Amino acid sequence: MCGIHDLTEKDLQPLPYTPAYLDKIKGMRFFDPHVHMSARTTDDYQAMADAGVVALIEPAFWLGQPRTGIDTFRDYFSSLLGWERFRASQFGIKHYCTIGLNSKEANNEALAEAVMEILPQFIYKEGVVGVGEIGFDDQTPLEEKYYRAQLELAKEAGLPVQIHTPHRDKKRGTQRSMDIALEHGLPPHMIIVDHNNEETVKEVLDRGFWAAFTIYPFTKMGNERMVAIVQQYGSERIMVNSAADWGISDPLAVPKTAALMHESGIDLNDIHLVTYSNAVTAFAQSGQINEDDFNIAGNIDQREKFNGSTILRGGQQPRVDKNTTIIR
Amino acid sequence: MAPYVYDQQQMSVWLWAVIRRNGHEKGNEWLAQRWQLHQETATVAQFNQTFTAIPRFTGKHTITITQEEHQLLQEAVPGFFVQGWTLDRLARVWWLLQLAVTDKTIYLDTLDKLFKAAEMNELAALYSALPLLPWPEEWIARTTEGIRSNIGIVQAAIMQQNPYPAQYLPEPAWNQLVMKAIFTEKNIHLITGLDGRANATLALMLTDFAHERWAAGRTVDPLQWRMLTHFTTAANLPDIIRVLQSAVSAEREAAALVCAGSTYAPAKALLLQVPDIAAEIAAGTLTWQSVADKTTRS
Ligand SMILES: [Zn+2]
């Protein structure tokens, strides 16, 4: 946002050309239940909107640089609820978040204590659809302590829990995360176990938890493998996300995976379940998701802005034609 | 000095009536219960939690307000405007009036923390409440800070249909508000007190800004010229002439309105060049309102 744009209807229209994969998913709507938009540019929001992403969840996580004070945590949580949500609304995307202390930073005990103190102030805010992403990284005693404490918070607030499963010793870490959640009396339908792979999926589904898959190059899942998983396990309680962040990742992973599934002959209804409605069902248990908001996210802000406005899509960002060398 | 500069108790009663008429039974009941609990225990934690949780119980639909109610609110706090608000915002503003003002330090500290942890809609409610808050001069720095927000609804809550800024902001902050409103494409016609707070420095900023826009081949919001009405000088007369000769009718009309309102003879004389527009102004059919209707931005 730097300066005045004289918006016309034309500026708000989708791009005149479409990448090939977009043809296959024309008219589909997507919900990306795990994407770290704070680390992404505004161009990504525009591309996501063009590809049919209507809503997303941004889990609180680690920023790459360890935080040293409670105020930076507070500001981070506030930005998930404020600035990021506003940025998304400019593209008609409904932005939700989950709030929690991530596993890496749970290892700084003094800071973790201070974060636990401010969490209750944030988890009841509008559009907070869960406690997350929490769980294990190195599986240390401190990680376990704060994982347990946050499960209690979620239970009290009636919120779903979004569990980050570790990269190292993944299978055992995943089992342990589920065992502990059950120990605290949280029912499996309130737990979304994230970053699954071929090794973990069966047990997660068999025990009645939600199984989320992160389509993320190199370190997590590729989408060809994802197609095979849906072919083997079906679409019940499975969801796909991008987890796009400051690493090499792709905020269009959900629509692209839908396109690949379609190409591979997977039923449209199954595609809809794993790229949209299962995530809605799981996180709507928070009472904070209203699907009616998805199409009109931008307009709601507009109505709040100005009484009786005749402007329908104010606050929306103009489109930039990236195919031209001229920049105006 | 008394904390409130208007009849806060009466205002609280009126707002409560508007809330009840717009709310559904469950939401009204919940608010009444929270109010009862607050009367009995008055803990800050509970106060904050209610403030945050309000939309979950009231819903977020746009309120309606009768002409009579609008009149009452206007008489109590001139310029205070709730039309077009959502019910959760109205309820949050009312709720703020329930916080005790017996200890100023505690009050200011509580509000400070509410601002610090607020999400967008909470911020919009907090800034919308400015004209009703106690110790009005205590919110000047906070308002100045709020103008720097990049979030549309937060900016609008401060800038539009809010009488607080015009009444309390010092000139530099006021000018910043007007310039930011123009930059962020607000309908500046909705800024309360625009004419009364026009000043020579602002007039200079506006003409400089227009020059930048023109140099970049961009257009200028016709409404911005309104603030030159009482500050037309030999220095900015060439700009007025340029706008008066614009191909865009709203710009010609805006320039003519400036000339018509000006007491500077060379500006007044320019009206002779546009007799048709001058006649409309004289007849009262062309006003800043009609220009605003034509060019409405968000
Ligand atoms: Zn993540």
Side-chain angles (χ1 to χ4, degrees):
Chain A
M1 292 269 313
C2 28
I4 296 178
H5 312 285
D6 291 297
L7 277 186
T8 64
E9 272 300 305
K10 200 172 139 263
D11 295 315
L12 300 172
Q13 298 310 312
L15 300 172
Y17 64 94
T18 46
Y21 75 90
L22 280 182
D23 275 347
K24 301 191 181 67
I25 51 169
K26 231 187 173 94
M28 290 190 194
R29 293 162 29 123
F30 302 108
F31 185 165
D32 188 341
H34 186 148
V35 55
H36 299 288
M37 294 311 295
S38 302
R40 311 297 309 190
T41 66
T42 296
D43 297 27
D44 288 333
Y45 273 121
Q46 199 161 62
M48 290 168 87
D50 284 343
V53 176
V54 293
L56 56 84
I57 297 172
E58 176 155 8
F61 84 141
W62 183 59
L63 288 175
Q65 172 73 33
R67 280 166 278 217
T68 58
I70 186 63
D71 283 350
T72 58
F73 262 101
R74 194 199 323 267
D75 293 343
Y76 174 64
F77 294 151
S78 291
S79 80
L80 296 185
L81 291 152
W83 178 233
E84 260 338 297
R85 196 175 278 181
F86 174 69
R87 231 162 52 106
S89 76
Q90 291 179 304
F91 300 90
I93 295 177
K94 183 73 188 168
H95 180 285
Y96 300 100
C97 63
T98 58
I99 295 282
L101 169 65
N102 67 85
S103 49
K104 262 186 212 289
E105 286 172 299
N107 290 304
N108 177 342
E109 193 169 14
L111 192 53
E113 278 304 317
V115 173
M116 288 307 299
E117 221 169 281
I118 65 166
L119 280 183
Q121 241 188 311
F122 286 96
I123 61 172
Y124 291 95
K125 299 258 190 212
E126 264 187 87
V128 175
V129 295
V131 172
E133 50 184 302
I134 61 171
F136 288 116
D137 181 48
D138 279 350
Q139 304 188 47
T140 65
L142 278 174
E143 287 174 20
E144 180 172 338
K145 174 180 171 189
Y146 292 106
Y147 174 52
R148 286 178 183 276
Q150 292 184 93
L151 289 173
E152 284 299 318
L153 271 185
K155 194 166 104 177
E156 198 188 319
L159 286 173
V161 178
Q162 192 171 27
I163 293 182
H164 164 92
T165 53
H167 301 275
R168 297 169 293 276
D169 196 9
K170 188 174 201 74
K171 197 165 180 181
R172 284 198 324 127
T174 305
Q175 285 168 342
R176 217 172 132 197
S177 305
M178 291 188 288
D179 293 342
I180 294 173
L182 295 176
E183 216 181 283
H184 283 265
L186 280 136
H189 68 83
M190 290 299 272
I191 310 280
I192 296 91
V193 180
D194 215 332
H195 316 318
N196 278 284
N197 60 24
E198 291 85 348
E199 296 299 303
T200 57
V201 56
K202 188 171 187 313
E203 185 180 343
V204 171
L205 289 174
D206 285 348
R207 295 175 75 176
F209 292 80
W210 296 92
F213 290 83
T214 297
I215 309 303
Y216 196 108
F218 313 127
T219 56
K220 297 188 174 89
M221 285 290 287
N223 58 4
E224 291 154 318
R225 286 160 59 201
M226 192 64 224
V227 168
I229 284 189
V230 173
Q231 281 166 340
Q232 186 176 347
Y233 294 94
S235 55
E236 197 189 336
R237 277 181 289 116
I238 287 181
M239 65 183 84
V240 175
N241 62 58
S242 71
D245 56 14
W246 31 254
I248 294 175
S249 47
D250 189 346
L252 299 179
V254 175
K256 282 181 181 172
T257 302
L260 190 65
M261 286 179 178
H262 191 33
E263 213 176 85
S264 313
I266 292 180
D267 188 75
L268 281 178
N269 187 47
D270 291 321
I271 298 175
H272 182 67
L273 282 165
V274 301
T275 58
Y276 178 89
S277 58
N278 282 346
V280 173
T281 307
F283 287 98
Q285 297 181 96
S286 64
Q288 289 295 297
I289 293 182
N290 180 359
E291 275 182 85
D292 291 345
D293 290 345
F294 292 3
N295 290 323
I296 52 163
N299 292 345
I300 282 179
D301 289 343
Q302 184 56 25
R303 264 189 292 155
E304 285 168 358
K305 203 183 278 182
F306 172 34
N307 165 43
S309 169
T310 52
I311 296 199
L312 292 174
R313 293 192 271 174
Q316 218 165 323
Q317 290 280 296
R319 282 175 187 280
V320 176
D321 182 357
K322 298 220 175 74
N323 288 340
T324 159
T325 45
I326 311 289
I327 299 167
R328 289 207 178 86
Chain B
M1 187 189 153
Y4 287 103
V5 295
Y6 65 99
D7 188 346
Q8 170 263 346
Q9 297 223 324
Q10 181 62 68
M11 175 61 81
S12 182
V13 170
W14 285 333
L15 291 183
W16 178 240
V18 179
I19 291 165
R20 288 198 70 89
R21 201 174 45 69
N22 280 279
H24 48 75
E25 205 183 310
K26 261 175 78 180
N28 290 343
E29 209 173 283
W30 178 80
L31 271 179
Q33 274 170 11
R34 297 302 296 187
W35 184 82
Q36 193 61 43
L37 188 67
H38 180 66
Q39 297 306 304
E40 286 157 13
T41 58
T43 75
V44 170
Q46 255 164 17
F47 181 84
N48 290 347
Q49 212 194 25
T50 300
F51 182 80
T52 291
I54 277 173
R56 292 181 185 221
F57 297 91
T58 60
K60 302 179 66 171
H61 55 280
T62 306
I63 59 159
T64 60
I65 176 160
T66 65
Q67 193 52 42
E68 197 182 35
E69 287 165 340
H70 179 64
Q71 208 59 42
L72 286 172
L73 301 183
Q74 282 291 305
E75 276 162 27
V77 177
F80 179 58
F81 198 90
V82 302
Q83 256 156 327
W85 285 14
T86 50
L87 181 59
D88 60 313
R89 184 185 300 197
L90 182 67
R92 276 177 170 155
V93 169
W94 166 79
W95 183 248
L96 289 173
L97 296 186
Q98 313 311 314
L99 186 61
V101 291
T102 38
D103 185 323
K104 184 172 175 181
T105 312
I106 293 175
Y107 184 94
L108 293 181
D109 183 58
T110 307
L111 266 273
D112 189 53
K113 286 181 176 141
L114 269 189
F115 268 103
K116 270 190 185 154
E119 50 81 45
M120 296 192 282
N121 292 313
E122 289 175 308
L123 278 177
L126 284 161
Y127 283 116
S128 295
L130 285 173
L132 303 189
L133 294 182
W135 300 291
E137 56 298 317
E138 293 293 341
W139 314 106
I140 292 170
R142 176 65 71 186
T143 305
T144 307
E145 185 58 35
I147 295 166
R148 296 192 186 105
S149 168
N150 267 338
I151 298 176
I153 61 165
V154 177
Q155 296 163 348
I158 301 171
M159 295 170 179
Q160 298 183 317
Q161 294 173 323
N162 187 335
Y164 180 87
Q167 213 175 337
Y168 292 100
L169 288 188
E171 190 174 291
W174 171 259
N175 290 351
Q176 190 53 39
L177 180 150
V178 174
M179 294 309 293
K180 177 100 176 200
I182 294 172
F183 260 83
T184 55
E185 305 176 283
K186 299 286 181 294
N187 178 359
I188 55 178
H189 191 66
L190 296 180
I191 299 176
T192 307
L194 203 58
D195 291 334
R197 291 297 307 267
N199 59 78
T201 309
L202 182 60
L204 198 60
M205 291 167 97
L206 288 166
T207 48
D208 280 353
F209 176 62
H211 294 165
E212 276 177 48
R213 302 272 309 164
W214 287 332
R218 298 184 170 122
T219 57
V220 171
D221 183 353
L223 290 172
Q224 82 159 51
W225 301 112
R226 176 175 183 163
M227 285 157 280
L228 257 67
T229 305
H230 300 293
F231 299 91
T232 38
T233 60
N236 59 36
L237 202 65
D239 296 321
I240 306 285
I241 294 171
R242 174 175 175 155
V243 182
L244 194 66
Q245 293 168 347
S246 164
V248 180
S249 67
E251 294 189 10
R252 290 195 302 275
E253 291 168 0
L257 281 163
V258 171
C259 297
S262 172
T263 50
Y264 180 56
K268 272 224 125 58
L270 289 175
L271 280 176
L272 297 172
Q273 293 181 15
V274 284
D276 294 358
I277 303 177
E280 277 189 65
I281 295 172
T285 50
L286 174 62
T287 60
W288 284 112
Q289 177 69 55
S290 63
V291 177
D293 291 345
K294 222 187 244 186
T295 60
T296 299
R297 292 163 173 235
S298 51

